Every structure is written in structure tokens, then in C-alpha cells.
Amino acid sequence: MIALLGSHGYIGSAFAEEMTRQGIEWTAVDYRNLGSAFAFIYPDLVINCAAFIPKTSVEECDKFKAETIRGNLLLPLRLSELCEYYSATLAQISTGYLWRDGLEHAEDDPPQRMFDGYCGFYIGTKVLAEEAVRSCKHYIWRLSLAFDERDNERNYLTKLCDFPDVFDRDNSVSHRFDFVRSCLELWRRRAPYGTYNVMNQGNIKATQIVELLIRAGIRKTKPRIVTGGHGDSKASVSKLLSVGIPIRSCEEAIEESINNWIPKT
């Protein structure tokens, strides 16, 4: 049995949809009733998609520090304690937006965006949460700038349609369902525990995506391109590929999403 936290969120809902499609037995768990839920279902795997993210932007976490700590750090810590007690595996959904030097980084490379480096409160708590869950059997599944073909305020492509200013950065990105399917396959194969960068192969500039969105008529106006800032964040997916989990290129995933774009109704 798989227990899923955050089943109504942007990433959690994709896990719920895909597990249902694959016929995987799962149940939604409310973070307010963790103790009783674990005692009742005895999960084999707990997927934590729950997090505190203000609707406007993760940058707003800087204004809600207490809520961010509770949702993004204390909850994973509590889950790790319960998973250790019940001999369950914890899969913590984390961020891959951890570097700023433009180089490609593997899972073992220390983050550069953290509380003693440059970061916002959201990324800082997510980095600390990775440390918190390492006391139990765990996976840390990192994604970056999630997107797919469905117009949604959390969708990276939707954001690139709406932003008046776009930073000219070259980043790793994660197609939402490519990410979910790869994570579930890691569990199905009982891949070695640890951290996995689960992004599409390669990286892509935001300006390239904006050009594709304009060409497709999804974005109507050109944004102001901003250069400089804190640099690109690129993650290697060599570890994911090494355990036999294929994942397509970011260009292919983005082009397919744009070609099959589903606007909000």
C-alpha cells in the first residue's frame, strides 16, 4: 500500500492520477491524522508531496516563515520518524533548483542555494528536509520547474506565458508525468535508496521556451529579457539512467506539451 500526502496538489494529483491509471493500490493521507493513518494502513511506501507553497510564488515563503517551516521541514521530519517506526519507505519530493554556477551537478554535489548560501526560505527548508528524512529508509526525488500540457498556475509554461520579465537562464526542467512515472518505476524496481535527480535529459533556456510559446500563439507578447542574476541550475540525470530508468529530453517534452496545450476553461 502506498500512502500519498498532498494528493490534491500539482505534483500529488499527478501521482494520484498515474497510480490509479496503473492500478497501484494507494490511499490519500491527511497530515493532521498521521499517527492513526499509519496504524491503520501500515504503508509500504509514503510519498510526501505535501508542502507549503503560497499561490503567488515560492518567494512568498519568505513572508510566511512559520508556515513554511511547519509544512516543508517539520512534516518531513515527523514522517521520517513514523516511517522508521513502521519500517516503511519514505519518498520525499524535493527541489532540483539547488545550484547557480551554470555547471551540471550530480546528486552528491552540495547545494549552492541553501541557508548559508543564496536562496529563498522555500529552498532553504527543502534542503533541510532532505537531511531530516535520511534517518529512515528513503528516496529523495528532486524535480525542477515542473510543466506539462495542462494550463495551470503551477505549470512552468503557464508562468512563462504570464511573466512580464523572463530571466535568460539555462535550467533543468521536469515534465510532471515523466517525473511521476520515473519515480514510480524507481519504487517498482526497488532501486537503491538515496537521492535521484528526476528531470528530463538536458537543459533549456527560458527564452527558447518563450519563443516556442509565442510561435504556437500561446503567449501573445514578447517579454523583457533579463540577464545576470544568480545563474543557471543544471542537474545530471546519469544516476537515474544508470538504474535503467529512461527519460526523454527536455526539448521533446516541452515541444509535445506546447503542441498539445490545453488552455484553462
Side-chain angles (χ1 to χ4, degrees), residues 90-104:
L90 174 59
Q92 170 70 14
I93 307 304
S94 191
T95 179
Y97 198 68
L98 298 174
W99 300 282
R100 62 177 189 273
D101 59 6
L103 303 176
E104 188 176 80

Side-chain angles (χ1 to χ4, degrees), residues 7 29 56 59 62 71 86 109-111 124 133 157-158 163 177-178 252 257:
S7 61
V29 172
T56 50
E59 295 178 359
D62 290 6
Y86 285 96
D109 292 347
V133 304
L157 301 186
T158 298
F163 287 155
F177 282 91
D178 288 357
E252 181 183 352
S257 297

Side-chain angles (χ1 to χ4, degrees), residues 163-201:
F163 287 155
D165 299 335
V166 172
F167 284 93
D168 188 25
R169 292 178 183 162
D170 200 12
N171 292 316
S172 297
V173 295
S174 301
H175 184 281
R176 190 165 62 126
F177 282 91
D178 288 357
F179 171 81
V180 166
R181 285 188 284 266
S182 296
C183 292
L184 292 174
E185 187 65 12
L186 284 168
W187 170 246
R188 189 188 70 81
R189 296 188 183 200
R190 298 303 191 267
Y193 291 127
T195 304
Y196 291 85
N197 294 331
V198 189
M199 295 87 168
N200 293 90
Q201 291 193 60

Side-chain angles (χ1 to χ4, degrees), residues 215-232:
R215 195 179 308 161
I218 299 171
R219 175 162 184 143
K220 306 303 182 184
T221 60
K222 290 185 176 182
R224 185 173 72 93
I225 305 302
V226 181
T227 58
H230 293 282
D232 310 334

